[in-house]
Amino acid sequence: MTGNDGKPMVARPAVAQGETPGVVEGMADGQQSQESGRPQDAAESRRTKSLRPSSAGADGERTRRRSRRLPDATDEIIIGALADDARTGITEIAGMANVSRATAYNRIKRLTDDGVIRGYSVVADHARMGLGVTALVLISGSQPDWRANREVLSSYPEVEYCWYVVGSADIVLLVRVADTDQLRDLILTRLQALPGVTATQTLTVIDEVVHRPVVRPED
């Protein structure tokens, strides 16, 4: 079809009543451009984005690798100083590790954030506190009941350590009491009355030869 000037006329889509001509024309132009291959449709755009490598996974893996890093020689010096005396000042620790105060502080913070240093405690002489009897109590029994017994064992003030183990026993307790009467009461009255307990064996400590607050790996 040609106009009065002899030039070909371009057909435009009909505009319904109430529609905005610019919007309709824009849609038509967009459709024409898509058919010509210039713009990228939404589905193809999503496919392209999904093929791009994600930096989040790589960053997460790098973070996990950093968190799994074992303490180095400088870290071990710092840990050893705090294990020997938790009151050791940052200046003294920096001198022992041959690093600056800022480096020593940052190392302690990182070791704490990573869970390597879990806290600072006092090493007490239990005998001088009136707890002259130390014993290991091995407990055997029905394993389905151990989960329910965890809170009960944790509530006993005589228990210093409680381990769930694999072997001839199921649980090992390190207990400290004033005398053998208190030890007998703990074992016969309370421990053997726990659900699932079938047997106990008591090993009384006669001498504490080694007590290391921190065990350091060999080089």
Side-chain angles (χ1 to χ4, degrees):
M1 179 182 296
T2 58
N4 295 331
D5 55 0
K7 295 181 180 180
M9 296 179 62
V10 178
R12 295 287 184 180
V15 180
Q17 185 176 1
E19 290 182 344
T20 304
V23 173
V24 176
E25 291 176 5
M27 291 174 60
D29 293 342
Q31 291 171 356
Q32 184 178 4
S33 298
Q34 289 176 11
E35 291 172 358
S36 63
R38 285 195 296 271
Q40 192 178 43
D41 61 24
E44 185 178 353
S45 177
R46 285 194 296 270
R47 287 195 299 270
T48 303
K49 289 181 179 179
S50 66
L51 294 175
R52 295 173 184 169
S54 173
S55 61
D59 293 342
E61 180 61 26
R62 283 194 293 269
T63 301
R64 285 191 293 271
R65 283 200 298 267
R66 284 197 299 269
S67 65
R68 289 195 297 263
R69 186 173 69 85
L70 294 176
D72 58 18
T74 301
D75 292 333
E76 291 181 7
I77 293 174
I78 294 173
I79 294 170
L82 293 172
D84 293 338
D85 187 354
R87 299 171 300 175
T88 305
I90 193 69
T91 301
E92 186 176 353
I93 291 175
M96 296 170 64
N98 196 26
V99 296
S100 67
R101 283 170 47 90
T103 299
Y105 174 82
N106 290 332
R107 291 243 180 180
I108 293 173
K109 183 178 184 306
R110 176 176 56 78
L111 291 168
T112 303
D113 292 342
D114 290 348
V116 177
I117 296 177
R118 299 174 58 185
Y120 303 87
S121 61
V122 174
V123 179
D125 188 327
H126 293 92
R128 291 178 178 270
M129 295 176 60
L131 303 174
V133 176
T134 300
L136 293 173
V137 182
L138 283 62
I139 304 175
S140 302
S142 174
Q143 291 187 0
D145 294 309
W146 292 152
R147 180 171 297 180
N149 289 332
R150 291 174 70 98
E151 294 184 4
V152 178
L153 293 172
S154 300
S155 68
Y156 291 164
E158 302 92 341
V159 176
E160 182 175 353
Y161 286 98
C162 174
W163 299 280
Y164 279 44
V165 298
V166 176
S168 59
D170 298 294
I171 299 176
V172 176
L173 304 179
L174 172 60
V175 301
R176 298 186 186 273
V177 293
D179 49 40
T180 54
D181 290 339
Q182 189 176 356
L183 180 61
R184 182 183 65 246
D185 175 72
L186 172 65
I187 296 170
L188 299 182
T189 305
R190 287 182 284 168
L191 293 180
Q192 291 189 357
L194 290 175
V197 172
T198 58
T200 60
Q201 180 182 1
T202 304
L203 307 175
T204 304
V205 177
I206 59 174
D207 190 11
E208 294 187 23
V209 179
V210 177
H211 180 201
R212 295 189 179 96
V214 177
V215 177
R216 302 166 193 172
E218 296 182 357
D219 295 333

Short mmCIF file of all heavy atoms in Angstrom, two decimals, residues 74 77-79 81-82 88-108:
data_model
loop_
_atom_site.label_atom_id
_atom_site.label_comp_id
_atom_site.label_asym_id
_atom_site.label_seq_id
_atom_site.Cartn_x
_atom_site.Cartn_y
_atom_site.Cartn_z
N THR A 74 53.77 -19.92 66.03
CA THR A 74 53.50 -18.71 66.82
C THR A 74 52.23 -18.87 67.65
O THR A 74 52.18 -18.48 68.83
CB THR A 74 53.37 -17.49 65.89
OG1 THR A 74 54.59 -17.34 65.14
CG2 THR A 74 53.12 -16.22 66.69
N ILE A 77 52.93 -20.97 70.71
CA ILE A 77 53.62 -20.23 71.78
C ILE A 77 52.61 -19.42 72.58
O ILE A 77 52.64 -19.39 73.82
CB ILE A 77 54.71 -19.32 71.18
CG1 ILE A 77 55.83 -20.17 70.57
CG2 ILE A 77 55.27 -18.38 72.24
CD1 ILE A 77 56.87 -19.36 69.82
N ILE A 78 51.70 -18.77 71.87
CA ILE A 78 50.68 -17.96 72.54
C ILE A 78 49.77 -18.84 73.39
O ILE A 78 49.46 -18.52 74.55
CB ILE A 78 49.87 -17.17 71.50
CG1 ILE A 78 50.76 -16.13 70.81
CG2 ILE A 78 48.66 -16.50 72.14
CD1 ILE A 78 50.10 -15.42 69.65
N ILE A 79 49.33 -19.97 72.83
CA ILE A 79 48.46 -20.88 73.58
C ILE A 79 49.19 -21.42 74.81
O ILE A 79 48.62 -21.50 75.90
CB ILE A 79 48.00 -22.03 72.67
CG1 ILE A 79 47.09 -21.51 71.56
CG2 ILE A 79 47.27 -23.10 73.47
CD1 ILE A 79 46.78 -22.53 70.49
N ALA A 81 51.62 -20.01 76.49
CA ALA A 81 51.76 -18.96 77.50
C ALA A 81 50.48 -18.79 78.30
O ALA A 81 50.50 -18.65 79.53
CB ALA A 81 52.16 -17.65 76.83
N LEU A 82 49.35 -18.80 77.62
CA LEU A 82 48.07 -18.64 78.31
C LEU A 82 47.71 -19.88 79.11
O LEU A 82 47.06 -19.79 80.16
CB LEU A 82 46.97 -18.34 77.29
CG LEU A 82 47.07 -16.99 76.59
CD1 LEU A 82 46.04 -16.88 75.48
CD2 LEU A 82 46.89 -15.85 77.60
N THR A 88 48.79 -13.89 81.97
CA THR A 88 49.93 -13.32 81.25
C THR A 88 49.47 -12.16 80.38
O THR A 88 48.50 -12.27 79.62
CB THR A 88 50.60 -14.39 80.37
OG1 THR A 88 50.95 -15.51 81.17
CG2 THR A 88 51.86 -13.84 79.72
N GLY A 89 50.17 -11.03 80.49
CA GLY A 89 49.79 -9.83 79.75
C GLY A 89 50.14 -9.92 78.28
O GLY A 89 50.99 -10.70 77.86
N ILE A 90 49.47 -9.07 77.49
CA ILE A 90 49.66 -9.11 76.04
C ILE A 90 51.07 -8.71 75.66
O ILE A 90 51.63 -9.24 74.69
CB ILE A 90 48.61 -8.20 75.35
CG1 ILE A 90 48.58 -8.47 73.85
CG2 ILE A 90 48.88 -6.74 75.65
CD1 ILE A 90 48.02 -9.80 73.48
N THR A 91 51.70 -7.80 76.41
CA THR A 91 53.07 -7.39 76.10
C THR A 91 54.04 -8.55 76.30
O THR A 91 54.92 -8.79 75.47
CB THR A 91 53.48 -6.20 76.99
OG1 THR A 91 52.58 -5.11 76.76
CG2 THR A 91 54.90 -5.76 76.68
N GLU A 92 53.86 -9.29 77.39
CA GLU A 92 54.73 -10.43 77.65
C GLU A 92 54.52 -11.54 76.62
O GLU A 92 55.47 -12.17 76.15
CB GLU A 92 54.48 -10.97 79.06
CG GLU A 92 55.43 -12.07 79.48
CD GLU A 92 55.20 -12.52 80.91
OE1 GLU A 92 54.40 -11.87 81.61
OE2 GLU A 92 55.82 -13.52 81.32
N ILE A 93 53.26 -11.77 76.25
CA ILE A 93 52.97 -12.79 75.24
C ILE A 93 53.60 -12.41 73.90
O ILE A 93 54.19 -13.25 73.21
CB ILE A 93 51.45 -12.97 75.08
CG1 ILE A 93 50.86 -13.60 76.34
CG2 ILE A 93 51.11 -13.82 73.86
CD1 ILE A 93 49.35 -13.71 76.33
N ALA A 94 53.50 -11.13 73.53
CA ALA A 94 54.10 -10.68 72.27
C ALA A 94 55.61 -10.88 72.28
O ALA A 94 56.20 -11.28 71.27
CB ALA A 94 53.75 -9.21 72.04
N GLY A 95 56.25 -10.61 73.43
CA GLY A 95 57.68 -10.82 73.52
C GLY A 95 58.06 -12.29 73.42
O GLY A 95 59.05 -12.64 72.77
N MET A 96 57.28 -13.17 74.03
CA MET A 96 57.57 -14.60 73.97
C MET A 96 57.41 -15.13 72.54
O MET A 96 58.16 -16.00 72.10
CB MET A 96 56.64 -15.36 74.91
CG MET A 96 56.84 -15.02 76.38
SD MET A 96 55.55 -15.71 77.45
CE MET A 96 55.83 -17.46 77.23
N ALA A 97 56.43 -14.60 71.81
CA ALA A 97 56.17 -15.06 70.44
C ALA A 97 56.96 -14.28 69.40
O ALA A 97 56.89 -14.60 68.21
CB ALA A 97 54.68 -14.96 70.14
N ASN A 98 57.68 -13.24 69.85
CA ASN A 98 58.48 -12.40 68.95
C ASN A 98 57.61 -11.74 67.88
O ASN A 98 57.95 -11.73 66.69
CB ASN A 98 59.61 -13.21 68.31
CG ASN A 98 60.68 -12.32 67.69
OD1 ASN A 98 60.86 -11.18 68.11
ND2 ASN A 98 61.37 -12.83 66.67
N VAL A 99 56.47 -11.20 68.31
CA VAL A 99 55.58 -10.48 67.41
C VAL A 99 55.17 -9.18 68.09
O VAL A 99 55.46 -8.95 69.27
CB VAL A 99 54.31 -11.31 67.06
CG1 VAL A 99 54.68 -12.57 66.30
CG2 VAL A 99 53.53 -11.66 68.33
N SER A 100 54.50 -8.31 67.35
CA SER A 100 54.04 -7.05 67.93
C SER A 100 52.83 -7.30 68.83
O SER A 100 52.19 -8.36 68.77
CB SER A 100 53.66 -6.07 66.81
OG SER A 100 52.52 -6.55 66.11
N ARG A 101 52.52 -6.30 69.65
CA ARG A 101 51.35 -6.41 70.53
C ARG A 101 50.07 -6.58 69.71
O ARG A 101 49.20 -7.37 70.05
CB ARG A 101 51.23 -5.16 71.41
CG ARG A 101 52.18 -5.11 72.59
CD ARG A 101 52.16 -3.73 73.25
NE ARG A 101 50.80 -3.26 73.45
CZ ARG A 101 50.08 -3.48 74.56
NH1 ARG A 101 50.61 -4.17 75.55
NH2 ARG A 101 48.86 -3.01 74.67
N ALA A 102 49.97 -5.81 68.61
CA ALA A 102 48.77 -5.90 67.77
C ALA A 102 48.62 -7.30 67.16
O ALA A 102 47.52 -7.86 67.11
CB ALA A 102 48.82 -4.85 66.67
N THR A 103 49.75 -7.86 66.71
CA THR A 103 49.70 -9.21 66.13
C THR A 103 49.30 -10.23 67.18
O THR A 103 48.48 -11.13 66.92
CB THR A 103 51.06 -9.58 65.53
OG1 THR A 103 51.38 -8.65 64.48
CG2 THR A 103 51.05 -10.99 64.97
N ALA A 104 49.87 -10.11 68.38
CA ALA A 104 49.51 -11.05 69.45
C ALA A 104 48.03 -10.94 69.79
O ALA A 104 47.35 -11.96 69.96
CB ALA A 104 50.37 -10.77 70.68
N TYR A 105 47.53 -9.72 69.87
CA TYR A 105 46.11 -9.52 70.18
C TYR A 105 45.23 -10.13 69.09
O TYR A 105 44.25 -10.83 69.37
CB TYR A 105 45.82 -8.03 70.33
CG TYR A 105 44.35 -7.72 70.51
CD1 TYR A 105 43.74 -7.83 71.76
CD2 TYR A 105 43.57 -7.34 69.42
CE1 TYR A 105 42.39 -7.56 71.92
CE2 TYR A 105 42.21 -7.08 69.58
CZ TYR A 105 41.63 -7.19 70.82
OH TYR A 105 40.29 -6.93 70.97
N ASN A 106 45.58 -9.86 67.82
CA ASN A 106 44.78 -10.39 66.71
C ASN A 106 44.83 -11.91 66.66
O ASN A 106 43.84 -12.57 66.32
CB ASN A 106 45.26 -9.79 65.39
CG ASN A 106 44.93 -8.32 65.26
OD1 ASN A 106 43.95 -7.85 65.83
ND2 ASN A 106 45.74 -7.59 64.51
N ARG A 107 45.98 -12.47 66.98
CA ARG A 107 46.10 -13.94 66.99
C ARG A 107 45.21 -14.54 68.08
O ARG A 107 44.54 -15.55 67.85
CB ARG A 107 47.55 -14.34 67.22
CG ARG A 107 48.48 -14.00 66.06
CD ARG A 107 49.05 -15.26 65.48
NE ARG A 107 49.95 -15.01 64.37
CZ ARG A 107 50.58 -15.97 63.72
NH1 ARG A 107 50.40 -17.24 64.07
NH2 ARG A 107 51.37 -15.70 62.71
N ILE A 108 45.22 -13.95 69.26
CA ILE A 108 44.39 -14.47 70.34
C ILE A 108 42.91 -14.36 69.97
O ILE A 108 42.12 -15.28 70.21
CB ILE A 108 44.68 -13.71 71.65
CG1 ILE A 108 46.10 -14.02 72.13
CG2 ILE A 108 43.67 -14.06 72.73
CD1 ILE A 108 46.54 -13.19 73.32
#
